[in-house]
Structures are given as structure tokens and as C-alpha cells.
């Protein structure tokens, strides 16, 4: 198969982790005789530096024409503590989501037994944790009217949802639940917010068309607590934009490292894949960041292309690195491997240069970091 992929490396550790995912995609292309064509585009702080615009039109056009977008990370500390900055890197990502109508952000939360010790939760609460968050991505308070008055004494952000916006993502979440453990939890704040009451009404009505899915409802404050107390109760969690932003970061620490988690943002035609970690500027350029979030995002991209065997082979390779202690510094601060080494190991595994049995550990040991 031939696919055109837009690559947006972005800021901070974005470039170095994305390069590992591209290595892995190239290995997949080699094994399975696919052709992946890449077009590199700008977005974020790096785009502001080069063009003055966090999202140049060229990036939107190329993305609209692509089969998928692989994205690294966005953000730079020089904008973080300046609330008066007129242009910010994040505006690029928000505009891209809106321009491509990427209305559903999908974040799977999986746990790996070899990483249980890194989780803030006790092992007994981690076994069998496997859920997916469906976060609405192009509506709500993120995109409502926002204003500060001339005296700078009052500000507002409006939160609006339409039934169409709710239904289109809810359909995706229901369908996903049908393929999984058939449970859908809507997270809202229907005891306070009008928009939440609309979400609840619509999801309740839609449940009649998905009789095989058990639906329940949780207020967001309770959901925040339940994710920590008993995360294995969840299967598919559906929620609006800002609640989803907050809960998905909370849920991401369960697995032990934020660096591991992938995400997909999909619409009716475009799709973007990115690790959920941020730009982690302190690690940029040091070859120490965890590339697995990006590599697993590439696996989600392969699934989106209906390359299911390819995606599961990438996941197998990732699990192989974790099980054999080939991990980055976030996972093992003493015996760690470089970002680029992990990318190479996974690519080598995919093309069959490494097989589980005749693993030449000594050769791999040579690629271990000597900086402790
Ligand atoms: C995310 C991020 C973004 C968001 C930021 C960078 C605008 O936190 O993708 O979750 O809030 O949506
Ligand atoms: Mg976020």
C-alpha cells in the first residue's frame, strides 16, 4: 500500500522521538512492502521562529491532502509565563484540530507488568487496567468565545456544544465499546452544567441503538477519584474537551511513564497521531526521551490504515524492549538506553535482525548509555 504521511516534528523532544517512529514505519514498509512517503511540515514554536505563524497555511494544506499526520510535541518555555504573548505555539495545534475537524481524541491507557513498580498505584490496582478515553476535541470551552474587558478586571470563556458535535463522537465511542468489553461511561458535570445535561440526554437516547453496551454516568469530580481508586472498572470513557484533557493526563500516569502513551485524533477524513507527552524542553536534544509514545502512535496510524498485522508487530516489538530492559532514562535512570537506540532496536526487531531466541545481548549492551 502507498500512503502519504505528513510529519510535524514540532518542539522540544518532538523531533527526536518522531524520528524513531519514522524509523519504525520504514522498517514496517520494508517488511510488508508498503510505500510510505513523508512530507515534513512546521507547527508550534519552531514555526513561529521560522515564519511568525504557529501554523503556516502550507501545513494545513499538506495535512488536508495526506493520508495521516504524525506529530511530535508542541510548546516552548519562553511562552509559558507570558500571559500577554499574542502568538503561542499551542494555537497551532488547536487551529490544526479545528481545520481538519479532528473531533475525537482517542487515548488508550494500558499497563505493562514490567513497569508496575513505576506506577503511583499499587500493583493490585493495576492488573487488568485497560481503558480508552474518547475526548471531544473541537468544541466546548476550548473553542468558545473568549474575552477580557478593557479594564482587565473580567474575563470569560464560553462553553457550547451542539447535538451534532456530541453525537458524532458518541457514535465512535459506542462502536469502540462494542468491540471491547461493552461498557461506556459518560463523564460530565450534569449536576451543574447545561452542556453536560445535553451530553447526558443525547447519550441516554443513543444508548437505545447500542443495546449491547452498558452505559453509566459519572460526574467528573467522582471520575477523577475513581481513575485512581479503581481504574479497572473502566472500558470506554467518553467526555467533553476540557474534562478529557484533564482526565487523560491523570490516567496517563497509571502506566508508570507518561512517555509510553500514544493518541489518535480523528475526524471524518483526516487523522493525526501523537504521543500524549508534551515537549519536555529540559530533555530536548539529549537523546534521552522515551520514543515509545511516538512509536505506539505510529502503530495506531497503521491500524487506521487497516494494517492490523503491522500494528500488532510494532506492539510486540515495543513489549519486547520493555520486557528485556531496553528502556529509556524515565524508566530506568541507571541502566538506560538512548532514544535513538530504542528506535533502532525496534526497527531491527521488525525486520528480523533480532529474534527472541538468539538475542545477542552483548552487541546490544554496547549501545547502552555510559553516562550515569
Ligand atoms: C493536549 C494538550 C493540548 C490541549 C494543549 C497543548 C493545547 O494538553 O493535547 O492534551 O490542551 O488539548
Ligand atoms: Mg493535555
Amino acid at each position: 500500500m502507498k500512503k502519504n504521511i505528513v510529519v510535524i516534528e514540532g518542539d522540544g523532544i518532538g523531533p527526536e522521538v518522531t524520528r524513531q517512529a519514522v524509523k519504525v514505519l520504514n522498517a514496517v514498509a520494508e517488511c510488508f512492502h508498503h510505500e510510505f512517503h513523508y512530507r515534513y511540515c512546521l507547527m508550534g514554536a519552531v514555526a513561529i521562529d521560522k515564519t511568525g505563524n504557529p501554523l503556516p497555511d502550507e501545513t494545513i494544506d499538506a495535512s488536508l491532502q495526506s493520508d495521516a499526520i504524525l506529530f511530535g510535541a508542541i510548546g516552548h518555555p519562553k511562552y509559558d509565563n507570558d500571559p500577554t504573548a499574542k502568538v503561542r505555539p499551542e494555537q497551532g495545534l488547536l487551529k490544526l484540530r479545528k481545520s481538519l475537524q479532528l473531533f475525537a481524541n482517542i487515548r488508550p491507557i494500558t499497563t505493562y507488568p514490567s513497569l508496575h513498580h513505576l506506577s503511583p498505584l499499587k500493583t493490585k490496582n493495576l492488573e487488568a487496567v485497560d481503558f480508552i478515553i474518547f475526548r471531544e476535541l473541537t468544541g466546548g470551552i476550548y473553542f468558545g468565545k473568549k474575552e477580557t474587558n478593557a479594564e482587565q478586571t473580567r474575563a470569560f470563556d464560553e462553553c457550547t456544544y451542539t447535538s451534532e458535535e456530541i453525537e458524532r463522537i458518541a457514535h465512535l465511542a459506542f462502536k469502540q465499546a462494542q468491540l471491547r468489553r461493552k461498557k461506556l461511561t459518560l463523564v460530565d458535570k450534569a449536576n451543574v452544567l447545561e452542556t453536560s445535561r445535553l451530553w447526558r440526554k443525547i447519550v441516554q437516547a443513543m444508548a437505545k441503538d447500542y443495546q449491547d453496551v452498558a452505559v453509566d454516568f459519572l460526574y467528573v469530580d467522582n471520575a477523577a477519584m475513581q481513575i485512581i481508586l479503581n481504574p479497572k472498572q473502566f472500558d470506554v470513557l467518553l467526555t467533553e474537551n476540557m474534562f478529557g484533557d484533564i482526565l487523560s493526563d491523570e490516567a496517563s500516569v497509571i502506566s508508570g511513564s507518561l512517555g509510553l502513551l500514544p493518541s489518535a485524533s480523528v475526524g471524518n477524513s483526516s487523522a493525526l497521531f501523537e504521543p500524549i507527552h508534551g515537549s519536555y524542553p529540559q530533555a530536548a536534544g539529549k537523546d534521552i526521551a522515551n520514543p515509545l509514545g511516538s512509536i505506539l502512535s505510529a502503530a495506531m496510524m497503521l491500524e487506521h490504515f487497516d494494517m492490523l498485522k503491522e500494528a500488532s508487530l510494532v506492539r510486540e516489538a515495543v513489549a519486547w524492549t520493555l520486557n528485556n530492559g531496553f528502556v529509556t532514562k524515565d524508566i530506568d535512570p541507571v541502566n538506560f538506553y538512548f532514544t535513538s537506540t530504542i528506535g533502532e532496536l525496534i526497527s531491527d526487531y521488525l525486520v528480523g535482525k533480532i529474534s527472541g531466541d538468539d538475542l545477542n545481548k552483548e552487541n546490544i549492551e554496547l549501545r547502552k548509555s555510559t553516562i550515569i
Side-chain angles (χ1 to χ4, degrees), residues 74 90 93-94 97 107 135 137 142 245 249 274:
I74 204 157
E90 290 81 2
L93 181 59
L94 296 178
R97 288 173 179 167
R107 296 184 170 183
R135 165 190 175 195
L137 203 59
Y142 270 59
D245 178 46
D249 264 28
E274 60 172 309

Side-chain angles (χ1 to χ4, degrees), residues 299-312:
M300 289 183 88
M301 177 187 282
L302 293 169
E303 247 166 19
H304 175 76
F305 293 155
D306 223 13
M307 299 178 181
L308 304 184
K309 254 203 210 141
E310 292 84 334
S312 84

